[in-house]
Amino acid sequence: MEIPLPANKKIYFASDFHLGAPNMTVSREREKLIVQWLEMVEKDAAHIFLVGDLFDFWFEYKHVIPKGYTRLLGKLAALTDKGIGISVFIGNHDMWMDGYFEEELNIPVYYEPQVFTISGKKFYIGHGDGLGPGDHGYKFLKKIFRNPVCRWLFSCIHPVMGISLANYFSRKSRAATGQELEHFLGEDQEWLAIYSREVLQREHFDYFIFGHRHLPLDLRVGPDSRYINLGEWLNYTSYAVFDGATATLEFFTEAGAALAQSGVKDLVQDRR
């Protein structure tokens, strides 16, 4: 799929907003910040990729969606109404999307990694969950959660109970894996870097763009290939921008940049 990039326009990438976490009060402030970022990038955005886990939980019943997120959803609708392209990828926390974004917001939703060509550069884009070596337990659960029968069974639970139950398990999941996701494992152990190198053995890509990892990472995975992880918005407010020649990691707030630079959560940028 080719994305046109007019002169003086840019492509933006962000992921892992986790709206709804840890509670609606804190989430609301983060949502306002995300809308401010969207207002900034709309001045020169040709396309915006939102690469999964926009919500800490999302399920589309036939006539119900989770309460809240009005500011974000309204802003996304305003952007597409202006002709700015937006693409959304599901993540492991919001994999149960089922037509709302396409019908109400005119935004395509992708359930697997996709290939895009932009200004002659090849991009491999996806959330990143379930890719690479290991994590067999989650890969098994992912197949269950994505099964249409399981989705139908969950839809039979009343939304009050279903959403409460899902939010509970979402918090439990983050508590169990959050610390594990905070530390850089080394270039030889980062599973999405390993996965990118495996893909490169079959086909060349200039950029691999993933979320899920929660660390802003920029790693060289081949002579002319880089893996960029978009980080998250609970701490870093990190995103990537492609100007037609180069993709770079950026930070929307000084606090996010300072946190990354302090090494507290191990920002890695390797542009050798």
Short mmCIF file of all heavy atoms in Angstrom, two decimals, residues 14-19 50-60 66 69 72 88-98 101 109-111 127 129 138 145-146 151 170 212:
data_model
loop_
_atom_site.label_atom_id
_atom_site.label_comp_id
_atom_site.label_asym_id
_atom_site.label_seq_id
_atom_site.Cartn_x
_atom_site.Cartn_y
_atom_site.Cartn_z
N ALA A 14 2.26 7.03 16.47
CA ALA A 14 2.20 6.98 17.93
C ALA A 14 1.47 5.72 18.35
O ALA A 14 0.71 5.13 17.57
CB ALA A 14 1.50 8.22 18.49
N SER A 15 1.67 5.30 19.59
CA SER A 15 0.99 4.11 20.09
C SER A 15 0.92 4.14 21.60
O SER A 15 1.52 4.99 22.27
CB SER A 15 1.72 2.83 19.62
OG SER A 15 2.92 2.67 20.33
N ASP A 16 0.20 3.17 22.13
CA ASP A 16 0.17 2.89 23.57
C ASP A 16 -0.22 4.10 24.41
O ASP A 16 0.47 4.50 25.34
CB ASP A 16 1.52 2.32 24.02
CG ASP A 16 1.76 0.94 23.43
OD1 ASP A 16 2.30 0.86 22.31
OD2 ASP A 16 1.39 -0.05 24.08
N PHE A 17 -1.39 4.67 24.08
CA PHE A 17 -1.97 5.73 24.91
C PHE A 17 -2.54 5.14 26.20
O PHE A 17 -2.55 5.80 27.23
CB PHE A 17 -3.10 6.44 24.17
CG PHE A 17 -2.68 7.14 22.90
CD1 PHE A 17 -3.62 7.42 21.92
CD2 PHE A 17 -1.37 7.53 22.68
CE1 PHE A 17 -3.27 8.08 20.75
CE2 PHE A 17 -0.99 8.18 21.52
CZ PHE A 17 -1.95 8.45 20.54
N HIS A 18 -3.05 3.93 26.13
CA HIS A 18 -3.65 3.22 27.27
C HIS A 18 -4.65 4.09 28.01
O HIS A 18 -4.65 4.17 29.25
CB HIS A 18 -2.55 2.72 28.22
CG HIS A 18 -1.83 1.51 27.69
ND1 HIS A 18 -2.34 0.23 27.80
CD2 HIS A 18 -0.65 1.40 27.03
CE1 HIS A 18 -1.50 -0.62 27.24
NE2 HIS A 18 -0.47 0.06 26.75
N LEU A 19 -5.53 4.73 27.25
CA LEU A 19 -6.56 5.55 27.87
C LEU A 19 -7.48 4.69 28.73
O LEU A 19 -7.89 3.60 28.33
CB LEU A 19 -7.36 6.29 26.81
CG LEU A 19 -6.57 7.38 26.07
CD1 LEU A 19 -7.41 7.99 24.96
CD2 LEU A 19 -6.10 8.47 27.04
N LEU A 50 -1.75 5.25 14.21
CA LEU A 50 -1.93 4.97 15.63
C LEU A 50 -1.81 3.47 15.81
O LEU A 50 -2.67 2.70 15.38
CB LEU A 50 -3.29 5.49 16.11
CG LEU A 50 -3.50 7.00 15.89
CD1 LEU A 50 -4.88 7.43 16.34
CD2 LEU A 50 -2.43 7.82 16.61
N VAL A 51 -0.70 3.05 16.44
CA VAL A 51 -0.23 1.68 16.30
C VAL A 51 -0.56 0.82 17.52
O VAL A 51 0.30 0.13 18.06
CB VAL A 51 1.27 1.67 15.96
CG1 VAL A 51 1.72 0.28 15.51
CG2 VAL A 51 1.59 2.67 14.84
N GLY A 52 -1.82 0.87 17.97
CA GLY A 52 -2.28 -0.09 18.95
C GLY A 52 -2.29 0.38 20.40
O GLY A 52 -1.56 1.29 20.79
N ASP A 53 -3.14 -0.26 21.18
CA ASP A 53 -3.34 0.04 22.60
C ASP A 53 -3.66 1.51 22.82
O ASP A 53 -3.14 2.16 23.73
CB ASP A 53 -2.13 -0.38 23.43
CG ASP A 53 -2.11 -1.89 23.70
OD1 ASP A 53 -3.05 -2.59 23.27
OD2 ASP A 53 -1.15 -2.36 24.33
N LEU A 54 -4.55 2.04 21.98
CA LEU A 54 -5.04 3.38 22.23
C LEU A 54 -5.82 3.40 23.54
O LEU A 54 -5.83 4.41 24.26
CB LEU A 54 -5.95 3.84 21.09
CG LEU A 54 -5.42 3.72 19.66
CD1 LEU A 54 -6.39 4.36 18.69
CD2 LEU A 54 -4.04 4.33 19.56
N PHE A 55 -6.46 2.30 23.84
CA PHE A 55 -7.27 2.17 25.05
C PHE A 55 -6.74 1.01 25.88
O PHE A 55 -6.23 0.03 25.35
CB PHE A 55 -8.73 1.91 24.68
CG PHE A 55 -9.27 2.88 23.66
CD1 PHE A 55 -9.38 2.51 22.32
CD2 PHE A 55 -9.64 4.16 24.01
CE1 PHE A 55 -9.86 3.39 21.37
CE2 PHE A 55 -10.12 5.05 23.07
CZ PHE A 55 -10.23 4.67 21.74
N ASP A 56 -6.89 1.14 27.19
CA ASP A 56 -6.48 0.04 28.05
C ASP A 56 -7.45 -1.12 27.94
O ASP A 56 -7.09 -2.26 28.21
CB ASP A 56 -6.39 0.52 29.50
CG ASP A 56 -5.37 -0.27 30.29
OD1 ASP A 56 -4.23 -0.41 29.81
OD2 ASP A 56 -5.71 -0.77 31.39
N PHE A 57 -8.66 -0.82 27.54
CA PHE A 57 -9.62 -1.86 27.17
C PHE A 57 -10.63 -1.27 26.20
O PHE A 57 -11.06 -0.12 26.35
CB PHE A 57 -10.37 -2.42 28.39
CG PHE A 57 -11.56 -3.26 28.00
CD1 PHE A 57 -11.37 -4.52 27.46
CD2 PHE A 57 -12.85 -2.77 28.11
CE1 PHE A 57 -12.46 -5.29 27.06
CE2 PHE A 57 -13.95 -3.53 27.72
CZ PHE A 57 -13.75 -4.80 27.20
N TRP A 58 -11.01 -2.07 25.21
CA TRP A 58 -12.01 -1.63 24.23
C TRP A 58 -12.75 -2.85 23.73
O TRP A 58 -12.15 -3.84 23.34
CB TRP A 58 -11.34 -0.91 23.07
CG TRP A 58 -12.30 -0.39 22.03
CD1 TRP A 58 -12.76 -1.06 20.92
CD2 TRP A 58 -12.93 0.88 22.01
NE1 TRP A 58 -13.62 -0.27 20.21
CE2 TRP A 58 -13.76 0.93 20.86
CE3 TRP A 58 -12.88 2.01 22.85
CZ2 TRP A 58 -14.51 2.05 20.53
CZ3 TRP A 58 -13.63 3.12 22.52
CH2 TRP A 58 -14.43 3.14 21.37
N PHE A 59 -14.08 -2.77 23.78
CA PHE A 59 -14.90 -3.83 23.20
C PHE A 59 -16.13 -3.19 22.59
O PHE A 59 -16.79 -2.37 23.24
CB PHE A 59 -15.33 -4.86 24.26
CG PHE A 59 -16.02 -6.06 23.68
CD1 PHE A 59 -15.30 -7.18 23.31
CD2 PHE A 59 -17.40 -6.08 23.49
CE1 PHE A 59 -15.93 -8.29 22.75
CE2 PHE A 59 -18.04 -7.18 22.95
CZ PHE A 59 -17.30 -8.28 22.57
N GLU A 60 -16.44 -3.55 21.36
CA GLU A 60 -17.60 -3.00 20.68
C GLU A 60 -18.76 -4.00 20.72
O GLU A 60 -18.76 -4.99 20.00
CB GLU A 60 -17.24 -2.65 19.23
CG GLU A 60 -16.21 -1.54 19.13
CD GLU A 60 -15.77 -1.28 17.71
OE1 GLU A 60 -16.50 -1.69 16.78
OE2 GLU A 60 -14.70 -0.68 17.52
N PRO A 66 -17.24 1.41 25.06
CA PRO A 66 -16.88 1.88 26.40
C PRO A 66 -17.10 3.38 26.58
O PRO A 66 -16.87 4.18 25.67
CB PRO A 66 -15.39 1.51 26.50
CG PRO A 66 -15.24 0.34 25.59
CD PRO A 66 -16.17 0.62 24.44
N TYR A 69 -13.60 8.93 26.42
CA TYR A 69 -12.74 9.12 25.26
C TYR A 69 -13.38 10.03 24.21
O TYR A 69 -13.01 10.00 23.03
CB TYR A 69 -12.35 7.78 24.63
CG TYR A 69 -12.05 6.72 25.65
CD1 TYR A 69 -12.72 5.49 25.64
CD2 TYR A 69 -11.12 6.95 26.66
CE1 TYR A 69 -12.45 4.52 26.60
CE2 TYR A 69 -10.85 5.98 27.62
CZ TYR A 69 -11.52 4.77 27.59
OH TYR A 69 -11.27 3.83 28.54
N LEU A 72 -10.84 12.45 22.36
CA LEU A 72 -10.01 11.81 21.34
C LEU A 72 -10.83 11.43 20.12
O LEU A 72 -10.45 11.73 18.98
CB LEU A 72 -9.33 10.57 21.91
CG LEU A 72 -8.54 9.74 20.89
CD1 LEU A 72 -7.38 10.54 20.33
CD2 LEU A 72 -8.06 8.43 21.49
N VAL A 88 -5.42 2.92 12.06
CA VAL A 88 -5.36 2.39 13.42
C VAL A 88 -5.04 0.90 13.36
O VAL A 88 -5.59 0.16 12.53
CB VAL A 88 -6.69 2.63 14.16
CG1 VAL A 88 -6.80 1.75 15.40
CG2 VAL A 88 -6.83 4.10 14.54
N PHE A 89 -4.15 0.48 14.25
CA PHE A 89 -3.84 -0.93 14.43
C PHE A 89 -4.36 -1.36 15.80
O PHE A 89 -4.27 -0.61 16.76
CB PHE A 89 -2.33 -1.17 14.37
CG PHE A 89 -1.75 -1.04 12.99
CD1 PHE A 89 -1.56 0.21 12.42
CD2 PHE A 89 -1.39 -2.16 12.26
CE1 PHE A 89 -1.03 0.35 11.16
CE2 PHE A 89 -0.85 -2.03 10.99
CZ PHE A 89 -0.67 -0.78 10.43
N ILE A 90 -4.91 -2.55 15.87
CA ILE A 90 -5.32 -3.05 17.18
C ILE A 90 -4.07 -3.45 17.97
O ILE A 90 -3.04 -3.81 17.40
CB ILE A 90 -6.28 -4.25 17.07
CG1 ILE A 90 -5.58 -5.47 16.46
CG2 ILE A 90 -7.52 -3.88 16.29
CD1 ILE A 90 -6.32 -6.76 16.67
N GLY A 91 -4.18 -3.38 19.29
CA GLY A 91 -3.12 -3.86 20.17
C GLY A 91 -3.63 -5.01 21.01
O GLY A 91 -4.74 -5.52 20.80
N ASN A 92 -2.86 -5.42 21.97
CA ASN A 92 -3.29 -6.52 22.83
C ASN A 92 -4.32 -6.08 23.86
O ASN A 92 -5.03 -6.92 24.43
CB ASN A 92 -2.08 -7.16 23.53
CG ASN A 92 -1.22 -6.15 24.25
OD1 ASN A 92 -0.72 -5.20 23.64
ND2 ASN A 92 -1.01 -6.34 25.54
N HIS A 93 -4.48 -4.77 24.10
CA HIS A 93 -5.49 -4.29 25.03
C HIS A 93 -6.78 -3.85 24.33
O HIS A 93 -7.80 -3.70 24.99
CB HIS A 93 -4.94 -3.11 25.85
CG HIS A 93 -4.04 -3.53 26.97
ND1 HIS A 93 -4.44 -3.59 28.28
CD2 HIS A 93 -2.74 -3.92 26.96
CE1 HIS A 93 -3.45 -3.99 29.04
NE2 HIS A 93 -2.40 -4.20 28.27
N ASP A 94 -6.72 -3.58 23.05
CA ASP A 94 -7.92 -3.10 22.35
C ASP A 94 -8.15 -3.88 21.05
O ASP A 94 -8.49 -3.31 20.03
CB ASP A 94 -7.85 -1.60 22.09
CG ASP A 94 -6.57 -1.17 21.37
OD1 ASP A 94 -5.83 -2.05 20.88
OD2 ASP A 94 -6.31 0.04 21.29
N MET A 95 -7.98 -5.20 21.14
CA MET A 95 -8.07 -6.03 19.94
C MET A 95 -9.51 -6.26 19.48
O MET A 95 -9.73 -6.72 18.37
CB MET A 95 -7.39 -7.38 20.18
CG MET A 95 -8.05 -8.24 21.22
SD MET A 95 -7.28 -9.89 21.35
CE MET A 95 -5.63 -9.50 21.91
N TRP A 96 -10.48 -5.90 20.33
CA TRP A 96 -11.87 -6.20 19.99
C TRP A 96 -12.55 -5.01 19.34
O TRP A 96 -13.58 -4.52 19.82
CB TRP A 96 -12.63 -6.69 21.22
CG TRP A 96 -12.29 -8.11 21.59
CD1 TRP A 96 -11.78 -9.07 20.77
CD2 TRP A 96 -12.45 -8.71 22.87
NE1 TRP A 96 -11.61 -10.24 21.45
CE2 TRP A 96 -12.01 -10.06 22.75
CE3 TRP A 96 -12.91 -8.27 24.10
CZ2 TRP A 96 -12.03 -10.95 23.82
CZ3 TRP A 96 -12.93 -9.16 25.17
CH2 TRP A 96 -12.50 -10.48 25.03
N MET A 97 -11.96 -4.50 18.28
CA MET A 97 -12.61 -3.47 17.47
C MET A 97 -13.42 -4.17 16.37
O MET A 97 -12.99 -5.20 15.84
CB MET A 97 -11.58 -2.53 16.86
CG MET A 97 -10.85 -1.68 17.89
SD MET A 97 -9.74 -0.47 17.12
CE MET A 97 -9.21 0.46 18.56
N ASP A 98 -14.55 -3.57 16.03
CA ASP A 98 -15.44 -4.30 15.12
C ASP A 98 -16.34 -3.35 14.33
O ASP A 98 -17.56 -3.48 14.37
CB ASP A 98 -16.29 -5.30 15.89
CG ASP A 98 -17.03 -6.26 14.97
OD1 ASP A 98 -16.55 -6.51 13.85
OD2 ASP A 98 -18.11 -6.73 15.37
N PHE A 101 -14.77 2.31 14.30
CA PHE A 101 -13.82 3.29 13.75
C PHE A 101 -14.04 3.47 12.25
O PHE A 101 -13.95 4.59 11.74
CB PHE A 101 -12.39 2.85 14.05
CG PHE A 101 -11.88 3.33 15.38
CD1 PHE A 101 -12.42 2.84 16.55
CD2 PHE A 101 -10.88 4.28 15.46
CE1 PHE A 101 -11.97 3.28 17.79
CE2 PHE A 101 -10.41 4.72 16.68
CZ PHE A 101 -10.96 4.22 17.85
N VAL A 109 -9.03 -0.01 10.21
CA VAL A 109 -8.42 -0.69 11.34
C VAL A 109 -7.73 -1.95 10.83
O VAL A 109 -8.33 -2.75 10.10
CB VAL A 109 -9.49 -1.06 12.40
CG1 VAL A 109 -8.88 -1.91 13.51
CG2 VAL A 109 -10.11 0.21 12.98
N TYR A 110 -6.48 -2.14 11.25
CA TYR A 110 -5.69 -3.29 10.80
C TYR A 110 -5.45 -4.23 11.98
O TYR A 110 -5.12 -3.80 13.08
CB TYR A 110 -4.36 -2.83 10.21
CG TYR A 110 -4.53 -1.96 8.99
CD1 TYR A 110 -4.37 -0.57 9.06
CD2 TYR A 110 -4.87 -2.52 7.76
CE1 TYR A 110 -4.54 0.23 7.94
CE2 TYR A 110 -5.04 -1.74 6.64
CZ TYR A 110 -4.87 -0.36 6.73
OH TYR A 110 -5.05 0.42 5.61
N TYR A 111 -5.59 -5.52 11.69
CA TYR A 111 -5.49 -6.54 12.72
C TYR A 111 -4.15 -7.29 12.68
O TYR A 111 -3.86 -8.06 13.58
CB TYR A 111 -6.64 -7.53 12.59
CG TYR A 111 -7.99 -6.87 12.81
CD1 TYR A 111 -8.62 -6.18 11.77
CD2 TYR A 111 -8.61 -6.92 14.04
CE1 TYR A 111 -9.84 -5.56 11.97
CE2 TYR A 111 -9.84 -6.31 14.25
CZ TYR A 111 -10.44 -5.62 13.21
OH TYR A 111 -11.65 -5.00 13.41
N HIS A 127 1.47 -3.46 15.76
CA HIS A 127 1.58 -3.22 17.20
C HIS A 127 2.78 -3.94 17.78
O HIS A 127 3.52 -3.37 18.59
CB HIS A 127 0.30 -3.64 17.92
CG HIS A 127 0.33 -3.34 19.38
ND1 HIS A 127 0.46 -2.06 19.87
CD2 HIS A 127 0.29 -4.15 20.48
CE1 HIS A 127 0.48 -2.07 21.18
NE2 HIS A 127 0.39 -3.34 21.58
N ASP A 129 2.68 -7.15 19.35
CA ASP A 129 2.39 -8.22 20.30
C ASP A 129 2.37 -9.57 19.58
O ASP A 129 1.86 -9.71 18.49
CB ASP A 129 1.07 -7.97 21.00
CG ASP A 129 -0.10 -7.87 20.04
OD1 ASP A 129 0.02 -7.14 19.05
OD2 ASP A 129 -1.12 -8.56 20.27
N TYR A 138 1.25 -16.01 25.90
CA TYR A 138 0.43 -14.94 25.34
C TYR A 138 -0.02 -15.28 23.92
O TYR A 138 -1.16 -15.02 23.54
CB TYR A 138 1.17 -13.61 25.32
CG TYR A 138 0.42 -12.58 24.51
CD1 TYR A 138 -0.76 -12.03 24.98
CD2 TYR A 138 0.85 -12.21 23.23
CE1 TYR A 138 -1.49 -11.13 24.23
CE2 TYR A 138 0.13 -11.31 22.47
CZ TYR A 138 -1.04 -10.78 22.98
OH TYR A 138 -1.77 -9.90 22.22
N PHE A 145 -8.49 -15.13 22.35
CA PHE A 145 -9.18 -13.84 22.39
C PHE A 145 -9.66 -13.39 21.02
O PHE A 145 -10.68 -12.72 20.89
CB PHE A 145 -8.27 -12.77 23.00
CG PHE A 145 -8.00 -12.96 24.46
CD1 PHE A 145 -6.81 -12.54 25.01
CD2 PHE A 145 -8.92 -13.58 25.29
CE1 PHE A 145 -6.55 -12.70 26.36
CE2 PHE A 145 -8.67 -13.76 26.65
CZ PHE A 145 -7.47 -13.30 27.18
N ARG A 146 -8.91 -13.75 19.98
CA ARG A 146 -9.26 -13.33 18.63
C ARG A 146 -10.28 -14.27 17.99
O ARG A 146 -10.79 -13.98 16.90
CB ARG A 146 -8.00 -13.27 17.76
CG ARG A 146 -6.99 -12.21 18.18
CD ARG A 146 -7.36 -10.84 17.70
NE ARG A 146 -7.33 -10.74 16.25
CZ ARG A 146 -6.23 -10.50 15.55
NH1 ARG A 146 -5.07 -10.32 16.14
NH2 ARG A 146 -6.30 -10.41 14.24
N ARG A 151 -15.31 -14.08 21.15
CA ARG A 151 -15.82 -12.71 21.11
C ARG A 151 -17.33 -12.69 21.28
O ARG A 151 -17.88 -11.84 21.99
CB ARG A 151 -15.44 -12.04 19.79
CG ARG A 151 -13.96 -11.76 19.63
CD ARG A 151 -13.64 -11.07 18.34
NE ARG A 151 -14.33 -9.80 18.19
CZ ARG A 151 -14.08 -8.93 17.22
NH1 ARG A 151 -13.17 -9.21 16.31
NH2 ARG A 151 -14.74 -7.80 17.15
N SER A 170 -7.16 -6.32 32.79
CA SER A 170 -6.19 -5.45 32.13
C SER A 170 -5.21 -4.88 33.14
O SER A 170 -4.00 -4.83 32.91
CB SER A 170 -6.92 -4.32 31.40
OG SER A 170 -6.00 -3.45 30.78
N HIS A 212 3.84 -1.50 21.65
CA HIS A 212 3.78 -2.64 22.57
C HIS A 212 4.94 -2.69 23.56
O HIS A 212 4.72 -2.99 24.74
CB HIS A 212 3.73 -3.95 21.78
CG HIS A 212 3.52 -5.16 22.65
ND1 HIS A 212 2.44 -5.28 23.49
CD2 HIS A 212 4.27 -6.30 22.81
CE1 HIS A 212 2.52 -6.46 24.12
NE2 HIS A 212 3.62 -7.07 23.72
#
